[in-house]
């Protein structure tokens, strides 16, 4: 079975589906808190199923459109075993570095290939809490890459849209985990309590500590 077929069988929407090319609809929070919580719960459940059958060395993320929900929610799990998952609701990049690096990325929605993607070394992201508060976080290097990848999904973009002209993805067999594990960092600007609250509420399993996007 091809990797993309395995992901499809695990409930991941595959490339070509209209929901992946549409901008996700934002949540009106706290009015739509219940809908946001349901979307988050489904994302964590999907991550757990995927993590049980496929190890990820560089971190994992999944956006709501990838499970057929056209709403602005995503979850990112850094590669470090002790790192809590990051929940992104209505995320918006407000600033980014002028410097970039290039790394291979994979996508659960077309998992047979990997592509070399340039990304900013850091991004600042504004998100909304379930209570409707705005919080701002600056993510660096590998974690910035993971978060940016998921925000692209919510904007209706796949990573191929970010690749340089003339560069094409390579088969996963050729990739074979090329490159270093992403160095994941985040600034202390964000209110961490909400992130831990969501993480604890959904109880990430050990299987989710491996991880991709």
């Amino acid at each position: 079975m091809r990797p993309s077929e395995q992901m499809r069988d695990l409930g991941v929407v595959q490339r070509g589906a209209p929901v992946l090319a549409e901008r996700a609809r934002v949540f009106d929070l706290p009015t739509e808190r219940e809908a946001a919580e349901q979307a988050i719960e489904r994302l964590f459940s999907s991550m757990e199923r995927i993590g049980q059958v496929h190890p990820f060395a560089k971190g994992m993320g999944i956006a709501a459109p990838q499970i057929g929900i056209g709403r602005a929610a995503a979850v990112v799990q850094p590669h470090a075993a002790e790192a809590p998952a990051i929940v992104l609701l209505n995320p918006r990049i407000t600033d980014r570095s002028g410097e970039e690096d290039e790394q291979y990325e994979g996508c659960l929605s077309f998992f047979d290939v990997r592509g070399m993607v340039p990304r900013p070394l850091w991004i600042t992201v504004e998100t909304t809490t379930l209570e409707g508060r705005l919080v701002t976080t600056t993510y660096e290097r590998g974690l910035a890459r993971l978060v940016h990848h998921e925000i692209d999904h919510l904007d209706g973009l796949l990573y191929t849209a970010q690749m340089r002209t003339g560069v094409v993805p390579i088969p996963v067999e050729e990739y074979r985990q090329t490159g270093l594990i992403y160095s994941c960092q985040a600034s202390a600007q964000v209110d961490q309590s909400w992130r831990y609250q969501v993480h604890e509420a959904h109880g990430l399993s050990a299987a989710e500590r491996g991880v991709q996007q």
Side-chain angles (χ1 to χ4, degrees):
M1 179 182 292
R2 297 295 297 158
S4 60
E5 294 172 340
Q6 185 181 51
M7 292 301 143
R8 179 202 60 208
D9 290 347
L10 289 168
V12 179
V13 174
Q14 294 300 295
R15 181 168 54 175
V19 69
L20 294 179
E22 300 167 354
R23 187 178 295 275
R25 185 160 56 94
V26 301
F27 291 97
D28 179 11
L29 295 167
T31 304
E32 292 189 288
R33 175 170 182 151
E34 183 176 353
E37 289 178 329
Q38 290 173 354
I40 293 168
E41 182 175 356
R42 287 185 58 184
L43 287 167
F44 273 105
S45 295
S46 295
M47 287 181 70
E48 183 171 9
R49 288 196 305 273
I50 295 165
Q52 288 173 349
V53 300
H54 198 290
F56 295 94
K58 295 183 178 181
M60 177 186 183
I62 189 166
Q66 291 182 281
I67 57 172
I69 303 173
R71 303 303 302 270
V75 175
V76 169
Q77 175 62 48
H79 79 274
E82 71 280 4
I86 299 167
V87 173
L88 303 166
L89 290 174
N90 302 345
R92 184 172 66 92
I93 297 174
T94 59
D95 197 9
R96 68 189 70 202
S97 72
E99 295 182 89
E100 296 180 335
D101 73 342
E102 292 189 67
Q103 298 281 350
Y104 278 109
E105 296 185 14
C107 182
L108 300 174
S109 293
F110 54 111
F111 211 46
D112 296 335
V113 298
R114 300 292 184 270
M116 183 68 79
V117 185
R119 299 279 187 188
L121 291 181
W122 58 263
I123 58 174
T124 298
V125 179
E126 181 183 87
T127 58
T128 310
T129 69
L130 293 169
E131 296 78 22
R133 287 189 298 110
L134 296 178
V135 294
T136 300
T137 312
T138 295
Y139 300 99
E140 299 178 2
R141 297 189 178 274
L143 196 48
R145 178 173 296 275
L146 291 168
V147 170
H148 199 171
H149 181 113
E150 299 313 321
I151 293 176
D152 276 355
H153 273 302
L154 301 181
D155 288 336
L157 301 173
L158 300 178
Y159 71 68
T160 48
Q162 306 287 9
M163 295 175 66
R164 299 190 190 281
T165 302
V167 178
V168 296
I170 63 173
V172 66
E173 293 84 1
E174 182 179 339
Y175 166 67
R176 297 181 186 277
Q177 291 296 317
T178 301
L180 300 174
I181 292 177
Y182 301 153
S183 172
C184 295
Q185 301 176 27
S187 79
Q189 295 179 34
V190 72
D191 177 359
Q192 298 279 356
S193 61
W194 175 71
R195 193 183 300 164
Y196 278 91
Q197 175 184 350
V198 174
H199 173 243
E200 291 172 355
H202 292 85
L204 280 183
S205 68
E208 293 174 273
R209 302 299 191 177
V211 263
Q212 200 144 33
Q213 307 104 337

